[in-house]
Amino acid sequence: MARIDVNHVRHSYLPNPRTDADFALREVHHTFEDGGAYALLGPSGCGKTTLLNIISGLLHPSHGQLLFNGRDVTKLSTQERNIAQVFQFPVIYDTMTVYDNLAFPLRNRGVPEADVDRKVRETLEMIDLASWAKKKARGLTADQKQKISLGRGLVRSDVNAILFDEPLTVIDPHMKWVLRSQLKQLHRRFGYTMVYVTHDQTEALTFADQVVVMYDGGIVQIGTPAELFERPRHTFVGYFIGSPGMNVMPVAIDGKTATLGSQRIELPGAPKAGSGAIELGIRPEYVRLGRDGMAVSISKVEDVGRHKVVRAKLEGRDIAAVIGEDETVPAEPKVRFDPAGINIYADSWRVEMGA
Amino acid sequence: MEKTWNNKAWFLVLPVLVLVAFSAVIPLMTVVNYSVQDTFGNNVFFWAGTEWFEELLSSSRFWEAMVRNLIFSFIILAIEVPLGIFIALNMPKKGWGVPVCLVLMALPLLIPWNVVGTIWQVFGRNDIGLLGYYINALGIDYNYVQDPFDAWVTIIIMDVWHWTSLVVLLCYAGLVSIPDAFYQAAKIDGASRWAVFRYIQLPKMQRVLLIAVLLRFMDSFMIYTEPFVVTGGGPGNSTTFLSIDLVKTALGQFDLGPAAAMSLVYFLIILLLSWVFYTVMTNYDAER
Amino acid sequence: MLELRNVTKTVGAAEHIRDVSLTLQHGSLNVLLGPTLSGKTSLMRLMAGLDVPTSGSVWFDGQNVTGVPVQKRKIAMVYQQFINYPAMTVYENIASPLRVAGTEQAKIDKEVRNAAALLKLTPYLDRTPLSLSGGQQQRTALARAIVKNASLVLLDEPLANLDYKLREELRAELPKIFAAAGTIFVYATTEPHEALLLGGNTATLSEGRITQFGPTIEVFRKPADLVTARTFADPPLNTIVLAKKGLDFLLDGGVKLPVPAELSGIADANYTIGFQPHHLSLERPNALAVPVRAKVTITEITGSESFIHLDFADVRWVMLTHGIRHFEPDEVVEVFIDPRHIMVFDEHGRAVSAPKLAA
């Protein structure tokens, strides 16, 4: 396993990039710690797959440097980097048995057959496919095939990192839960360095210790799931994480008070907001619906089973609130903002709350 | 995919059925009719029963031609299939090279068969042919008109030149349908070039390859025009294939009865072999 | 009104659809929910007339349309893949069904612009589909389905190939678009979450059978059997087989789970108890709740919620709690089962009761 340093890496698919817009990946400078579980999260075209392919060596960056445990691997091929990767669509060797699929990477490297057998059997146990060893791989279900793809990485004791490129896309919802928790257990037990690319916030947040949120070729925020949820650095993070995303509304700030239309909202502190467009962000989970506070008109209540999403208008703006499964909307609904969930943004970037 | 069930469909395919009846079923029945009778023209027929078939199956001339055909088809497949795969593997998969290669590959396929024959007939002549002349100039004794071996080499090279493209195009279609992720995964697994071919490319090409082999086998087994133009079946009988023998019998000697029996046997062989191929292919599909 | 009467479809030896009867009303949104290969696409093909049922019949507004091919019926389909004419502009793509129908130019223009406005495509009318994002390409396909003024619109996992957030946006707009149209909408999905967000009616599918059909939230809250409950649960449904004795279900370690009052009459036997992950809690929700001790296998945190995977006896449960809760693997925790929210299934998997709805 390895620590991975991404040093000022930029990449363009064009031969002579000039402006920032020519870069699929603008400056990325980050260290993936040894044994960490990371997710690269963002919409399509944000550069997350480009970054993953640069780490795996399928792509060589136009600028910058990549270090594995301090060793420069920028110029090395995928084979020489010793990484494992699981792709969106399961890649298996159709004509081989499950056993031979797992043995393949070892045999390619000339490992003695006795060691191959031992490692393959261990790995089959790890991915729960021991009873399938003799079966032809093409007859398996999508989730089993995806486990084989993963197994071909796990079987090598010397892998530096395991990379995942939207590995659960073709998996049914129920199996996603099973696979995800198995992945997490493998990570805990064996301490692999794992990097997981996805556009699905639930997958990213549940899998990773650190989530790297990417947008338009750059990193917007790196943090734990809790940090991304409670303190989004940028309104994009607020929007992209959470379902529904954060409510963002333009306000005027005066000391510890924000003014939204005719409403005054008490803030937990005085934000150090300079100039620029000032906005208040609050997640639907922190909007309290009740009999006191600011008057709203309800447009719709969505019952999604474990909770309800209330869509309402506050001062003419759309706002969402989440209420419990058994809660109901009062006759003259009003909302309050829980101060713990309030963030202030200047030109879309979060500003610190002063005393 | 299933089709919508509709009675009108039968009505719509009626013209095709009529056409097939006139172009295939009725001539076939005529051939069956001829094969069991003897005729000297003038519409006078004598019942011959299975005589022509017995004669044919015991004639060494027929078996020799048959063996020639099988050897020819075998050599053709043994050269064209590996060569076709090799060329397909080395063709560019993207960029401007793709259309260029595809057009180059398609060119021989666009030339009419008798023209192909004529081209090689002239090309290989040792007096005025570019190829024949220079081979002789190099001190190699080459003369396809006199030497059976040279005649075979000429016909095989001609067929390879003419038809390898078909195998290439089919294999190429199979290859470009393989997603990039497979190659990337193979790199990561440290697979050698051979392993990539053996475990990714070959399995993915298997189906088109079966079709290519089937088409090339049937075509080469029925080969007529090119050797007829180039060698006329000679020297001696060395390049007299079943089809050439058949035409000689039917038109050269005007033995319609034996010729009809021969074409039926010929037809049945091709039918049988095609059926074997079909079964193999559908079994393979069912297994998936 | 679209009616399927005892429809069966077999292909070779495989039964794709088994004895499905279903009635769909005009102006309704109907979700077909089930895992891959449960028969969603097969059923849609039968509804559309792309396939003919092996037995049974399909009726539309009182007319038997079994065997009437798709071209003769006013049907629109949208697929998981973004299917548009690549060489035409977005405008021409949307106009294509109207052109085929021979609509006059002025009307075409009006309809296309309306649909484009509804689906936020107005700025892209002169572009070709391939120059657009996936979301916009699928909006184009949806707009085409809408202008067709079809009597039946079939959507086969239309959002599956889109990003999570795009999915969320389009999913929120779809019911509004559909509500105005007054046609029958059928929407296939593998995701329970999506069915709940769309609302309308839901038919749950399993192995080619419809296990239940009704208003979405009712099917979710009161599944008729265990298969439906499992199909309609994400995270997966927690279950355990328990013996009922007298007024209690017996749990390991002498813990008793009281039988809900309205079920007190059922016979003593083994029952499968099911409950949703958010009905398992770390704090006692009410006086009736029963504590059990379970071993943590893994904790997943989404920022606002935590999914805690637990081993209890020989079964695996998931608990969904608000906030961030960290537990080490193998830690033993006390969790509460709320008897008001349990579902009870008999040995054949049929529901003996559904949990009481809280107001």
Side-chain angles (χ1 to χ4, degrees):
Chain A
M1 287 295 128
R3 190 187 76 223
I4 301 169
D5 293 294
V6 180
N7 283 348
H8 302 285
V9 162
R10 286 144 62 82
H11 187 73
S12 173
Y13 291 99
L14 304 173
N16 296 307
R18 289 196 185 86
T19 63
D20 250 13
D22 290 343
F23 283 88
L25 197 66
R26 303 194 311 250
E27 180 93 9
V28 168
H29 186 73
H30 181 64
T31 298
F32 296 93
E33 295 296 342
D34 190 359
Y38 295 88
L40 305 180
L41 174 68
S44 53
C46 71
K48 56 190 193 294
T49 303
T50 305
L51 178 54
L52 193 78
N53 286 342
I54 285 173
I55 297 174
S56 68
L58 294 170
L59 208 62
H60 295 280
S62 11
H63 303 270
Q65 201 187 24
L66 197 73
L67 307 177
F68 280 15
N69 280 340
R71 192 167 76 101
D72 188 344
V73 297
T74 319
K75 298 275 186 304
L76 295 189
S77 70
T78 301
Q79 288 101 310
E80 293 163 312
R81 291 187 194 186
N82 262 334
I83 49 93
Q85 187 161 349
V86 179
F87 297 88
Q88 191 171 4
F89 296 97
V91 174
I92 50 147
Y93 302 104
D94 273 345
T95 51
M96 296 187 200
T97 60
V98 171
Y99 183 100
D100 289 336
N101 258 279
L102 296 186
F104 190 62
L106 299 179
R107 288 177 179 157
N108 285 334
R109 289 171 172 79
V111 175
E113 200 56 28
D115 293 344
V116 171
D117 188 64
R118 185 177 49 81
K119 286 299 294 182
V120 169
R121 284 181 196 287
E122 270 175 35
T123 311
L124 281 168
E125 288 298 329
M126 279 161 74
I127 59 173
D128 245 355
L129 284 176
S131 52
W132 296 81
K134 294 273 179 292
K135 292 254 176 16
K136 278 262 193 260
R138 68 162 158 252
L140 304 185
T141 57
D143 52 286
Q144 289 171 323
K145 286 181 181 176
Q146 212 51 319
K147 284 208 254 183
I148 294 177
S149 308
L150 172 64
R152 284 205 313 270
L154 299 178
V155 79
R156 287 153 49 196
S157 37
D158 59 342
V159 281
N160 281 320
I162 305 178
L163 312 178
F164 300 87
D165 190 359
E166 313 218 357
L168 299 182
T169 308
V170 294
I171 311 292
D172 271 345
H174 283 191
M175 282 319 292
K176 277 186 188 169
W177 284 89
V178 178
L179 276 187
R180 239 168 47 199
S181 65
Q182 285 184 347
L183 258 187
K184 226 172 146 105
Q185 272 175 309
L186 284 175
H187 178 252
R188 286 204 80 107
R189 275 177 56 199
F190 302 101
Y192 298 107
T193 309
M194 291 182 168
V195 183
Y196 187 115
V197 160
T198 179
H199 63 82
D200 185 319
Q201 46 164 311
T202 313
E203 278 176 35
L205 296 167
T206 52
F207 171 81
D209 306 329
Q210 292 277 315
V211 179
V212 180
V213 184
M214 296 185 65
Y215 179 62
D216 201 16
I219 293 177
V220 199
Q221 186 173 3
I222 300 169
T224 62
E227 284 164 6
L228 297 177
F229 186 79
E230 287 161 6
R231 298 279 172 262
R233 255 187 78 204
H234 189 276
T235 48
F236 173 78
V237 180
Y239 150 82
F240 201 77
I241 288 175
S243 181
M246 188 165 71
N247 299 301
V248 177
M249 52 206 88
V251 291
I253 299 282
D254 179 20
K256 286 185 167 190
T257 317
T259 315
L260 169 69
S262 61
Q263 307 288 348
R264 290 165 67 76
I265 300 157
E266 290 305 314
L267 302 178
K272 295 165 187 155
S275 55
I278 305 294
E279 288 168 308
L280 181 148
I282 183 156
R283 293 200 173 273
E285 287 82 355
Y286 291 105
V287 178
R288 307 274 175 251
L289 194 67
R291 293 181 191 285
D292 45 44
M294 300 173 279
V296 291
S297 62
I298 307 291
S299 356
K300 196 181 172 198
V301 180
E302 294 163 4
D303 191 336
V304 294
R306 62 179 192 244
H307 57 239
K308 292 175 188 161
V309 178
V310 180
R311 307 270 180 188
K313 292 247 185 230
L314 169 66
E315 294 289 314
R317 307 189 67 86
D318 286 324
I319 185 170
V322 168
I323 61 172
E325 180 189 16
D326 301 335
E327 283 179 59
T328 51
V329 177
E332 277 175 28
K334 292 187 171 143
V335 294
R336 276 188 310 110
F337 292 169
D338 185 339
I342 293 178
N343 290 291
I344 299 296
Y345 296 87
D347 286 332
S348 301
W349 291 95
R350 183 169 177 275
V351 291
E352 282 302 319
M353 209 67 90
Chain B
M1 187 155 302
E2 266 183 278
K3 295 182 184 66
T4 306
W5 175 79
N6 191 336
N7 265 333
K8 267 190 220 152
W10 288 107
F11 183 72
L12 292 173
V13 296
L14 198 64
V16 175
L17 289 180
V18 171
L19 201 70
V20 169
F22 273 98
S23 67
V25 179
I26 293 173
L28 189 63
M29 293 185 43
T30 319
V31 170
V32 172
N33 192 25
Y34 274 115
S35 71
V36 292
Q37 307 199 55
D38 197 358
T39 179
F40 305 100
N42 307 332
N43 264 337
V44 185
F45 290 94
F46 301 93
W47 178 252
T50 57
E51 193 189 322
W52 302 133
F53 291 94
E54 284 163 23
E55 195 176 288
L56 181 73
L57 294 177
S58 59
S59 99
S60 60
R61 185 171 126 176
F62 170 75
W63 288 111
E64 279 162 18
M66 169 84 118
V67 167
R68 249 174 248 133
N69 257 58
L70 288 172
I71 293 175
F72 179 72
S73 292
F74 177 79
I75 294 175
I76 287 300
L77 287 176
I79 297 174
E80 289 179 9
V81 171
L83 184 63
I85 292 173
F86 179 79
I87 295 174
L89 286 174
N90 289 292
M91 265 169 68
K93 301 291 180 295
K94 51 186 127 189
W96 58 267
V98 176
V100 172
C101 284
L102 288 178
V103 169
L104 277 179
M105 282 296 136
L107 273 179
L109 298 173
L110 298 173
I111 301 171
W113 299 354
N114 55 337
V115 176
V116 172
T118 312
I119 290 173
W120 282 83
Q121 201 247 349
V122 176
F123 195 40
R125 275 172 65 167
N126 52 14
D127 47 355
I128 56 166
L130 207 58
L131 180 75
Y133 180 81
Y134 281 105
I135 289 181
N136 279 292
L138 286 172
I140 300 164
D141 183 26
Y142 167 83
N143 186 340
Y144 68 81
V145 184
Q146 280 164 15
D147 187 327
F149 180 77
D150 291 353
W152 268 75
V153 168
T154 309
I155 293 175
I156 286 168
I157 292 178
M158 174 181 64
D159 197 90
V160 168
W161 175 83
H162 192 184
W163 287 111
T164 304
S165 303
L166 181 75
V167 182
V168 173
L169 293 178
L170 283 168
C171 289
Y172 185 73
L175 282 175
V176 292
S177 69
I178 302 174
D180 251 2
F182 279 82
Y183 295 114
Q184 298 178 353
K187 266 192 203 172
I188 290 167
D189 290 337
S192 61
R193 183 73 196 80
W194 164 251
V196 170
F197 173 71
R198 170 69 187 79
Y199 297 110
I200 297 173
Q201 293 170 324
L202 196 59
K204 297 279 170 192
M205 276 195 298
Q206 205 166 333
R207 297 183 66 175
V208 282
L209 218 48
L210 272 168
I211 294 170
V213 169
L214 176 63
L215 286 176
R216 280 317 298 134
F217 173 76
M218 290 198 315
D219 259 359
S220 62
F221 203 75
M222 293 189 293
I223 190 162
Y224 172 75
T225 316
E226 301 97 317
F228 180 77
V229 173
V230 178
T231 64
N237 271 338
S238 64
T239 56
T240 300
F241 297 112
L242 282 172
S243 55
I244 293 178
D245 196 22
L246 177 64
V247 173
K248 275 185 186 167
T249 313
L251 300 178
Q253 297 155 242
F254 226 70
D255 287 335
L256 293 184
M262 201 171 148
S263 33
L264 271 183
V265 171
Y266 196 20
F267 173 67
L268 288 175
I269 291 170
I270 292 184
L271 204 65
L272 178 80
L273 289 167
S274 305
W275 176 79
V276 168
F277 266 107
Y278 178 79
T279 320
V280 169
M281 276 196 272
T282 42
N283 276 353
Y284 172 75
D285 272 354
E287 203 187 312
R288 285 192 80 100
Chain C
M1 190 168 79
L2 177 74
E3 251 184 293
L4 302 183
R5 295 188 189 163
N6 305 99
V7 166
T8 305
K9 178 73 184 175
T10 51
V11 177
E15 275 192 301
H16 288 194
I17 295 297
R18 305 177 190 202
D19 193 22
V20 163
S21 295
L22 193 63
T23 305
L24 308 177
Q25 304 292 345
H26 283 290
S28 66
L29 169 59
N30 307 280
V31 181
L32 300 178
L33 174 67
T36 316
L37 297 180
S38 60
K40 301 185 298 295
T41 303
S42 305
L43 197 57
M44 286 192 148
R45 293 179 60 84
L46 291 169
M47 288 176 176
L50 284 164
D51 285 338
V52 176
T54 311
S55 68
S57 52
V58 183
W59 298 70
F60 198 88
D61 284 341
Q63 271 195 316
N64 190 341
V65 293
T66 320
V68 175
V70 67
Q71 309 89 289
K72 296 215 170 155
R73 299 172 49 190
K74 296 207 75 180
I75 284 165
M77 260 185 119
V78 177
Y79 302 84
Q80 185 177 340
Q81 297 79 9
F82 314 135
I83 298 177
N84 293 300
Y85 300 104
M88 293 185 191
T89 60
V90 169
Y91 184 100
E92 282 306 317
N93 262 286
I94 303 175
S96 60
L98 300 172
R99 297 233 192 268
V100 171
T103 314
E104 56 179 288
Q105 184 56 42
K107 189 158 184 277
I108 289 180
D109 193 64
K110 192 171 139 257
E111 298 255 332
V112 170
R113 289 188 189 283
N114 277 346
L118 198 60
L119 285 154
K120 299 180 181 163
L121 285 170
T122 312
Y124 313 107
L125 283 174
D126 295 329
R127 306 253 299 261
T128 53
L130 292 181
S131 69
L132 301 178
S133 72
Q136 289 157 345
Q137 289 185 40
Q138 194 64 321
R139 282 170 191 270
T140 307
L142 283 165
R144 206 170 55 232
I146 283 162
V147 295
K148 199 173 175 188
N149 195 21
S151 47
L152 175 63
V153 177
L154 302 164
L155 305 135
D156 196 355
E157 302 191 42
L159 306 182
N161 282 2
L162 294 176
D163 272 7
Y164 192 89
K165 273 284 156 178
L166 278 174
R167 238 181 255 182
E168 215 173 80
E169 279 170 23
L170 209 47
R171 194 192 288 131
E173 288 170 36
L174 284 177
K176 291 180 215 160
I177 294 164
F178 296 162
T183 60
I184 303 172
F185 282 91
V186 181
Y187 187 110
T189 179
T190 58
E191 291 180 29
H193 183 63
E194 188 153 89
L196 284 166
L197 284 168
L198 287 167
N201 300 313
T202 291
T204 43
L205 270 100
S206 173
E207 294 171 354
R209 282 183 312 116
I210 287 190
T211 57
Q212 195 172 349
F213 178 60
T216 302
I217 198 74
E218 224 167 86
V219 178
F220 176 75
R221 292 252 159 83
K222 294 182 177 178
D225 53 34
L226 191 54
V227 176
T228 307
R230 283 193 203 279
T231 307
F232 212 148
D234 184 34
L237 188 77
N238 296 321
T239 58
I240 187 167
V241 178
L242 294 178
K244 173 186 175 280
K245 202 157 183 222
L247 292 174
D248 298 298
F249 293 112
L250 305 180
L251 279 156
D252 271 12
V255 182
K256 292 172 177 177
L257 182 67
V259 176
E262 73 275 13
L263 292 180
S264 54
I266 61 173
D268 285 3
N270 281 340
Y271 292 93
T272 302
I273 308 297
F275 52 92
Q276 298 287 353
H278 63 281
H279 289 141
L280 200 57
S281 47
L282 285 164
E283 293 83 28
R284 182 184 285 272
N286 56 58
L288 288 172
V290 175
V292 296
R293 296 176 73 74
K295 199 167 78 177
V296 174
T297 56
I298 210 91
T299 312
E300 298 179 303
I301 293 160
T302 70
S304 59
E305 293 169 326
S306 308
F307 298 109
I308 298 151
H309 296 243
L310 301 162
D311 275 338
F312 177 77
D314 54 347
V315 290
R316 172 71 55 92
W317 287 344
V318 181
M319 171 166 64
L320 169 60
T321 66
H322 282 287
I324 293 163
R325 308 298 290 252
H326 267 300
F327 293 101
E328 285 307 308
D330 295 335
E331 197 176 331
V332 174
V333 291
E334 190 177 55
V335 294
F336 293 87
I337 304 173
D338 187 346
R340 295 178 315 157
H341 287 296
I342 61 169
M343 313 172 198
V344 183
F345 303 97
D346 66 17
E347 54 180 331
H348 306 293
R350 282 188 297 260
V352 180
S353 85
K356 264 192 276 184
L357 274 179

